[in-house]
Amino acid sequence: MTLRFSKDIKSLLQHLAEKPLTLGDVISETSERGFSLVIALLVLPFLIPTPPGLSTPLGVACLLMSGQMALGRRTPWLPKKIASLKFPNWFAQTLLKNLQRVTKVLEKISRPRFQKVAENPLTWRFNGICLTWLAILLMSPYPPATNPIPAVGMLLLAVATIESDGILMCLGYVATVLNTLFFGFAFYLLYTGATYLLPNLFR
């Protein structure tokens, strides 16, 4: 089965490969589904080595989009500076190749399920809250090189929202909890390490 997600993202990336699109163009073309599509598009680069300088604007855009979902908005909005962000052609080609690998996995596990729950306005907001939290973790500088961990959770939730897949949403919620535990433990180690080392440095 072919997912709406894979069709939409593939056509967008093919368009990007031919003529660069801005995030604003993507939003205007995808209407309400633009939230999840743009978040998925923004998260995909974090699953591969990302060029320096791209992670911050992509993370901020994810945060803005997911925050609007949490507030119940159905029409996405981005500031002009972020909406005008363009992906380089070579980067779009790289994303397209990696998308094919991701899609093969997602098409095996995703389909419309528990649609009444998945399409409920409260579920939309809850997904926005989870995506907002994961976007914050995505932008966290510590631990280093851990961007793909929250990115996977965000991708699961974004695809589940597009496909109205309640079960995949539950997997996204599990990923959110696991991310919280992982980063919480990492920050705990950082805090305890700092409180132990700093007093010894000034002895």
Side-chain angles (χ1 to χ4, degrees):
M1 121 178 236
T2 304
L3 301 179
R4 282 188 297 173
F5 157 77
S6 58
K7 284 182 179 178
D8 291 337
I9 293 288
K10 189 173 181 178
S11 65
L12 285 172
L13 289 176
Q14 285 175 336
H15 196 158
L16 279 168
E18 296 165 6
K19 183 182 178 182
L21 277 175
T22 65
L23 286 177
D25 293 333
V26 175
I27 290 173
S28 63
E29 287 185 14
T30 54
S31 187
E32 182 178 301
R33 281 192 356 217
F35 274 112
S36 300
L37 276 172
V38 173
I39 288 173
L41 185 62
L42 293 170
V43 161
L44 279 173
F46 290 100
L47 301 177
I48 59 175
T50 309
L54 262 183
S55 58
T56 299
L58 293 181
V60 170
C62 281
L63 188 60
L64 286 171
M65 297 292 284
S66 57
Q68 290 174 65
M69 283 182 67
L71 293 173
R73 282 183 62 99
R74 292 283 177 168
T75 306
W77 171 86
L78 284 174
K80 287 184 179 179
K81 192 171 183 179
I82 296 178
S84 61
L85 178 69
K86 292 181 180 179
F87 292 99
N89 287 355
W90 66 268
F91 195 50
Q93 293 284 4
T94 305
L95 282 179
L96 189 57
K97 289 177 183 176
N98 283 275
L99 173 67
Q100 292 170 347
R101 299 172 192 165
V102 173
T103 301
K104 284 180 182 178
V105 177
L106 291 173
E107 286 181 346
K108 292 178 182 178
I109 63 174
S110 182
R111 63 188 60 86
R113 291 174 288 197
F114 298 110
Q115 288 177 272
K116 286 186 179 180
V117 176
E119 295 174 358
N120 188 291
L122 291 177
T123 304
W124 174 271
R125 287 190 173 216
F126 186 67
N127 288 350
I129 292 170
C130 291
L131 285 165
T132 300
W133 174 237
L134 289 172
I136 292 170
L137 297 180
L138 184 73
M139 297 171 65
S140 171
Y142 185 85
T146 55
N147 288 340
I149 300 174
V152 169
M154 294 184 74
L155 186 61
L156 287 175
L157 284 172
V159 173
T161 303
I162 294 169
E163 302 300 326
S164 299
D165 188 343
I167 292 180
L168 191 62
M169 281 182 191
C170 290
L171 290 176
Y173 301 149
V174 170
T176 303
V177 172
L178 293 176
N179 269 276
T180 302
L181 294 174
F182 173 78
F183 280 87
F185 183 65
F187 279 108
Y188 171 76
L189 291 178
L190 176 66
Y191 173 77
T192 53
T195 53
Y196 174 77
L197 289 173
L198 286 176
N200 291 328
L201 287 175
F202 294 99
R203 279 183 179 179

